[in-house]
Amino acid sequence: MASAGAPAAAVPTVVPPLEQLRCLAVELRLLLPGLRVGEAQETTKEFNPETFWRKLNEAAVNVAREATTLTEVFSRVPLPSPQETKRFCEQVHAAIKAITAVYYSLPKDRGITLRKLVRNATLDIVDGMAQLVDVLFITPGQSPDNSDLISYNSVWTACQQVPRIPKDNKAAALSMLTKSVDLVKDAHEEMEQAVEECDPYCGLLNDTEDNSDSHSDEEDDRLGCPNNRDLYWSEEDQELIIPCLALVRASKACLKKIRISVAENGKKDQVAQLDDIVDISDEISPSVDDLALSIYPPMCHLTVRINSAKLVSVLKKALEIT
């Protein structure tokens, strides 16, 4: 017979299913910061591209399968038991850890641009799974509604993108350059459309029709209210817009020429050079956006000239590196 002073046997704590889901979502999100700055794992094994891509594709398929299972079991009643929930959560966590491990196995010498594409795909998968778990935690036991389907679809879509990732750094560079060309093309079309309309804000406020309203305008300015003079281009503004459009058009042509040069002359083993070209080319689209935004009224000519000079500098550097 046990003595009265003997400690009672420890009773295992049963964590409720929904609490397990909440903890799983937290654990998944804790992986995101490390992925964003994740360094490649040091290894003495020779890197095998075929093995890497096979493992990455298999890991993505496994994540999609676990997302499907999780959605099905937590979108109906009764909910799984705590023991069953533990097993489901462990499987999801293991699937996510597996795909992150594959990403970390990609060496830097395969190309920074390629690693960025794989990293972004992995981040989308992990973040999508965390969102799905959050939704199932908030609305358990319900047939999948729109939010469930959207969250699930984000995981499934991210997993589907994995086989479409370029398989070498040259292909990755061409993919990024194509994206940059498209962004600059869109910005150029928006600028042209605004110029064709001449006054994109026309009609929002009535023009002042006589001098008697000038006192009222001054009063509005002091109170911080906009007047119509701030909402259209002056003749001087429109003269400055013409070279700005030409500069953006030149940016688009420059990126196209760089992309063609990489496609025709780039070598797969020129990893560092391709990364340098992509890095500087990535600066062109944001610089174009800065210039495009600065031309809208009320236009500050100094800001437009500064942004123009910045864009010219980036274009020259891009051409020199290429």
Side-chain angles (χ1 to χ4, degrees), residues 61-72 87-88 90-93 95-96 129 132 152:
V61 169
N62 191 33
V63 171
R65 182 169 55 246
E66 294 301 333
T68 302
T69 302
L70 201 67
T71 302
E72 290 175 349
R87 178 169 58 84
F88 289 130
E90 287 176 347
Q91 289 174 180
V92 168
H93 195 269
I96 291 296
M129 183 65 86
L132 172 61
Y152 164 69

Side-chain angles (χ1 to χ4, degrees), residues 10-301:
V11 179
T13 303
V14 178
V15 181
L18 294 184
E19 179 62 18
Q20 292 189 51
L21 282 184
R22 188 191 68 79
C23 291
L24 176 61
V26 171
E27 290 174 359
L28 293 179
R29 286 204 161 87
L30 288 175
L31 298 174
L32 295 174
L35 278 172
R36 292 189 181 100
V37 296
E39 297 290 333
Q41 292 175 341
E42 296 293 336
T43 178
T44 56
K45 295 181 180 179
E46 184 178 353
F47 178 76
N48 187 313
E50 290 75 17
T51 301
F52 170 81
W53 292 110
R54 176 179 54 79
K55 287 184 176 180
L56 191 66
N57 291 336
E58 289 174 352
V61 169
N62 191 33
V63 171
R65 182 169 55 246
E66 294 301 333
T68 302
T69 302
L70 201 67
T71 302
E72 290 175 349
V73 298
F74 278 94
S75 296
R76 61 172 181 255
V77 290
L79 295 178
S81 67
Q83 291 77 16
E84 290 174 322
T85 300
K86 184 174 183 293
R87 178 169 58 84
F88 289 130
C89 289
E90 287 176 347
Q91 289 174 180
V92 168
H93 195 269
I96 291 296
K97 290 290 287 183
I99 198 165
T100 59
V102 178
Y103 157 65
Y104 283 127
S105 72
L106 181 61
K108 276 187 175 181
D109 61 15
R110 307 304 294 189
I112 300 300
T113 305
L114 180 61
R115 283 196 96 243
K116 283 181 180 178
L117 293 182
V118 178
R119 179 195 64 195
N120 291 341
T122 308
L123 281 168
D124 288 343
I125 290 172
V126 177
D127 186 54
M129 183 65 86
Q131 290 180 34
L132 172 61
V133 175
D134 272 339
V135 170
L136 295 174
F137 165 71
I138 296 169
T139 58
Q142 299 180 13
S143 59
D145 59 13
N146 288 339
S147 57
D148 286 302
L149 291 174
I150 290 171
S151 297
Y152 164 69
N153 190 55
S154 68
V155 180
W156 184 78
T157 301
C159 291
Q160 266 202 331
Q161 295 305 311
V162 169
R164 300 186 176 98
I165 299 174
K167 300 301 185 288
D168 58 66
N169 208 47
K170 178 182 176 180
L174 287 171
S175 173
M176 296 298 290
L177 290 170
T178 299
K179 182 180 177 181
S180 293
V181 170
D182 291 340
L183 290 173
V184 172
K185 180 182 177 183
D186 290 343
H188 180 243
E189 289 175 353
E190 289 175 8
M191 289 177 69
E192 283 191 325
Q193 183 179 353
V195 172
E196 286 174 5
E197 293 173 355
C198 187
D199 184 358
Y201 301 102
C202 183
L204 290 181
L205 294 173
N206 292 323
D207 286 327
T208 302
E209 295 185 357
D210 54 51
N211 294 334
S212 63
D213 289 335
S214 60
H215 176 70
S216 175
D217 286 345
E218 291 172 5
E219 210 171 64
D220 285 344
D221 287 342
R222 287 197 298 271
L223 294 173
C225 300
N227 61 60
N228 205 34
R229 288 172 301 177
D230 293 334
L231 301 174
Y232 64 87
W233 283 308
S234 66
E235 290 184 8
E236 293 79 7
D237 292 343
Q238 293 184 44
E239 289 177 0
L240 192 57
I241 288 172
I242 295 172
C244 288
L245 271 173
L247 184 55
V248 173
R249 195 178 302 115
S251 302
K252 182 174 64 173
C254 176
L255 274 171
K256 285 183 176 180
K257 293 290 186 181
I258 291 174
R259 184 182 59 183
I260 292 171
S261 178
V262 169
E264 294 180 350
N265 304 311
K267 305 293 190 298
K268 291 183 180 181
D269 59 353
Q270 293 175 315
V271 175
Q273 292 92 329
L274 290 168
D275 286 336
D276 288 342
I277 290 173
V278 171
D279 282 345
I280 187 61
S281 297
D282 281 347
E283 295 182 27
I284 296 177
S285 177
S287 299
V288 166
D289 289 341
D290 289 342
L291 177 58
L293 290 173
S294 66
I295 71 167
Y296 282 91
M299 183 190 288
C300 173
H301 288 205

